[in-house]
Amino acid sequence: MMRKINKMVRKWMTDKMELPADVTMDLPRITMIGQLHIYIENHRGVLKFSNQELRLLLEQGQLLVKGNHFVIKTILPEELLLEGTIDQVIYINEEKKKS
């Protein structure tokens, strides 16, 4: 119940106060430079990393990046810079189960 109210307040702040949604609603901010770099903010951790795949946990769901020759250039608690040849960026939405 409290989580739903919190989400409604965040949405109201985003709409009425014109605040960026990525800040108020814990949404990921993804910046790509061609197929060479992808900078991801507001993630919750690395779930899988290989030469061809990066999977990040998000507040709601996961982000999957596929390609080749991946190298993590920068990694911070909520930010990541990935370099390589990026072929796909897939958002995996996970519905949270209600108790």
Side-chain angles (χ1 to χ4, degrees), residues 44-57:
R44 299 291 179 250
V46 176
L47 297 173
K48 181 178 180 182
F49 176 74
S50 71
N51 192 34
Q52 299 174 330
E53 182 177 309
L54 171 69
R55 186 179 293 253
L56 297 174
L57 180 63

Side-chain angles (χ1 to χ4, degrees), residues 82-98:
L82 180 71
E83 185 176 274
T85 304
I86 300 161
D87 295 326
Q88 294 180 327
V89 179
I90 303 166
Y91 181 77
I92 302 167
N93 191 10
E94 290 182 351
E95 294 292 327
K96 293 191 178 185
K97 295 179 182 177
K98 295 181 180 179

